[in-house]
Amino acid sequence: MSNQQPRALWASRLGFILAAAGSAVGLGNIWKFPYITGLNGGGAFVLVYLVCIALVGLPIMMAELMIGRHTRRDAVGAFIQLEGRRSFWLSAGWVSVGAAFIILSYYSVVAGWTLDYVYRALIGSFSGQPTEVVEGLFSGLIADGPRQIAWHLLFIVLCLSIVIGGVQKGIERWSKILMPLLFALLLLLFVNGMLSDGARQGLAFMFRPDFAKLTPGSVLEALGHAFFTLSLGMAAMITYGSYLSRQENLFAAGLRVALLDTGIALMAGLAIFPVVFAVGLEPASGPGLIFKTIPVVFSQLPGGYLLAILFFLLLSFAALTSAISLLEAQVAYLIDERGWGRPKATGFLAGLAFVVGIPTALSYNSLGDWHLIGERSFFDSVDLIASNYLLPIAGLLIALYVGWFWKGTEEKEELMAGGAGWTYPAWHFLIRYVAPLAVAVILYYKMEETGVLAWFGSWFKG
């Protein structure tokens, strides 16, 4: 069953750019990018990452926007319209929507951590405390299942309250509020970083390439992050593209989103590394950089109380703008293919994501002995499934379909409709050859890294 009502469209170009950039700008920019930059040596990694955004991320984003705008359907419905209900290529839509659901369920729990830290910052939990006390706050949080579930519920309710309003009155309206606030907060923290004693070290660390520190693993990490940071392979860009005007230049639209996403990631690094250097801490401290190292930094800085509040508000806003796109990608499927009303679809999926996310909140406490895949916790297992397999599989399928199997001249016509026809030769080469190969390499690397290839090898041997 397919809903035949007129398709909602973005009210303005700015609304689309902010919503799509909000989808791309998430915890990956402000949490993951700084710490993987730290772990991989700084400037050389940043340079490789920028090249990967241009050659892999942007072409696949344009392909997803193109599929959405051409069909005016959700990610599954788009492939039904293009290839029919029995086509193999429907798997690209199903994998994308499935990834969006799984990621939202556990992403909401992590976003709940940021809300908890906003509260901790407000009550002064970091101010004047010894390092071991501040670092211990995170251990206390993940050991407290009910507390995580409460924040998880609050975050899901925030997502629901925005998405239920629809494209223009919900997502677009709130994107025009949340994204400028996010930019303002990041700008304040960026200026603070540039005025700190560690500014020179931070700039050198981020932008002075040291290729001796660049390993093959670093290149693959940059390639993988370039793909994941743009919300590719999770149905969000296909869905947002389906609300896009025919007159919109797809290259310009994708480029603006990629530039905003990349600019925010770089600004986040320049907000974080200078203050880390200023107090003599280690920039390559891994995932604990945000929830352990940064609170320690704020506890030692003048004005750290206010900086901590601003920083964790920034994290919360970034998480929210990404999460609403994940929820919308699923809601669009129920509206388009099942004929559900928006309130029913949004309420059902938000509630289901909350329930499925509860084991994630209990992964390091009540369910600490429950290992879903090997010795991995429930949280680590669902993240492994979604991030390491579903997203690259969806991205690979989309790149292969658009590059090799999309019948007719629709892709070229979509580019020409908004005035981006001149990009077709270069884009088509990248989406046909470079992007599929790059995503296949990511998938192979992840399978090797997580032991899947070894498991397959042992299985075939006997």
Side-chain angles (χ1 to χ4, degrees):
M1 179 178 180
S2 179
N3 183 13
Q4 300 299 317
Q5 296 180 4
R7 192 69 168 175
L9 297 178
W10 303 108
S12 65
R13 176 181 297 172
L14 177 63
F16 162 72
I17 296 299
L18 291 178
S23 174
V25 173
L27 294 177
N29 297 72
I30 302 168
W31 178 15
K32 188 176 182 181
F33 180 76
Y35 87 69
I36 62 173
T37 299
L39 289 173
N40 289 283
F45 176 83
V46 171
L47 185 61
V48 173
Y49 166 74
L50 294 176
V51 171
C52 292
I53 285 281
L55 299 184
V56 180
L58 181 57
I60 295 179
M61 176 186 284
M62 289 173 63
E64 294 199 12
L65 293 173
M66 187 181 295
I67 290 171
R69 188 173 74 172
H70 181 74
T71 60
R72 296 291 188 211
R73 300 276 285 276
D74 63 283
V76 175
F79 286 97
I80 292 175
Q81 181 169 315
L82 289 167
E83 297 294 329
R85 291 186 177 275
R86 297 183 180 275
S87 171
F88 162 79
W89 296 108
L90 249 68
S91 58
W94 282 116
V95 172
S96 297
V97 174
F101 174 75
I102 293 171
I103 292 170
L104 178 62
S105 72
Y106 69 81
Y107 190 84
S108 175
V109 175
V110 178
W113 298 349
T114 70
L115 296 177
D116 182 87
Y117 268 58
V118 171
Y119 170 71
R120 296 290 158 194
L122 285 168
I123 63 174
S125 298
F126 312 135
S127 302
Q129 297 295 325
T131 297
E132 59 272 14
V133 172
V134 177
E135 291 182 339
L137 290 174
F138 184 64
S139 299
L141 172 61
I142 63 172
D144 192 338
R147 189 163 120 211
Q148 290 186 79
I149 291 171
W151 289 117
H152 168 46
L153 175 60
L154 175 58
F155 187 81
I156 284 289
V157 169
L158 290 173
C159 291
L160 183 154
S161 65
I162 293 173
V163 174
I164 205 169
V167 176
Q168 292 186 13
K169 295 182 179 179
I171 299 169
E172 185 168 358
R173 174 185 291 174
W174 278 98
S175 294
K176 288 180 177 178
I177 295 171
L178 291 171
M179 289 303 290
L181 284 173
L182 187 153
F183 294 147
L185 291 173
L186 184 57
L187 184 60
L188 287 172
L189 290 165
F190 168 76
V191 170
N192 175 76
M194 291 297 94
L195 294 177
S196 71
D197 293 339
R200 185 182 295 274
Q201 285 176 280
L203 286 166
F205 184 75
M206 285 284 290
F207 296 118
R208 183 183 296 159
D210 183 356
F211 291 99
K213 295 181 179 179
L214 198 65
T215 66
S218 300
V219 174
L220 288 170
E221 186 74 58
L223 181 59
H225 193 65
F227 176 79
F228 300 131
T229 189
L230 293 176
S231 291
L232 304 177
M234 58 183 73
M237 289 302 164
I238 293 178
T239 303
Y240 277 13
S242 73
Y243 307 135
L244 197 58
S245 165
R246 295 282 183 202
Q247 284 69 51
E248 189 63 52
N249 183 311
L250 289 180
F251 172 71
L255 183 62
R256 290 186 187 105
V257 173
L259 288 174
L260 279 173
D261 177 76
T262 305
I264 285 175
L266 294 175
M267 285 182 68
L270 292 174
I272 291 170
F273 289 130
V275 294
V276 170
F277 282 120
V279 296
L281 293 177
E282 177 55 56
S285 56
L289 177 67
I290 296 301
F291 292 105
K292 291 185 177 180
T293 304
I294 291 298
V296 170
V297 169
F298 291 144
S299 73
Q300 299 177 16
L301 288 176
Y305 170 78
L306 179 59
L307 290 173
I309 295 171
L310 295 176
F311 181 77
F312 289 108
L313 274 175
L314 170 68
L315 278 182
S316 300
F317 289 162
L320 186 56
T321 57
S322 287
I324 60 177
S325 71
L326 293 171
L327 182 54
E328 177 63 19
Q330 304 162 58
V331 168
Y333 165 74
L334 289 181
I335 293 174
D336 289 352
E337 309 310 315
R338 301 300 174 186
W340 288 30
R342 179 169 286 273
K344 178 183 176 182
T346 309
F348 171 76
L349 288 167
L352 191 60
F354 168 71
V355 172
V356 174
I358 289 175
T360 294
L362 302 178
S363 290
Y364 303 113
N365 43 83
S366 303
L367 299 180
D369 295 327
W370 182 27
H371 304 295
L372 192 61
I373 298 177
E375 294 301 312
R376 294 177 178 86
S377 67
F378 182 87
F379 185 2
D380 293 333
S381 297
V382 292
D383 181 44
L384 174 73
I385 292 167
S387 298
N388 292 295
Y389 300 118
L390 296 185
L391 293 185
I393 287 171
L396 179 60
L397 289 173
I398 289 167
L400 288 173
Y401 175 75
V402 174
W404 292 94
F405 295 96
W406 194 347
K407 303 180 185 73
T409 59
E410 289 93 343
E411 51 190 357
K412 188 171 185 178
E413 290 167 1
E414 284 295 330
L415 284 178
M416 292 177 67
W422 63 274
T423 67
Y424 180 79
W427 169 81
H428 196 249
F429 174 81
L430 292 173
I431 200 67
R432 176 170 269 211
Y433 299 106
V434 178
L437 178 61
V439 179
V441 168
I442 295 170
L443 185 59
Y444 178 86
Y445 170 66
K446 293 297 182 183
M447 291 175 70
E448 184 177 48
E449 185 182 46
T450 55
V452 171
L453 289 180
W455 181 84
F456 272 121
S458 63
W459 187 80
F460 278 117
K461 286 179 181 178

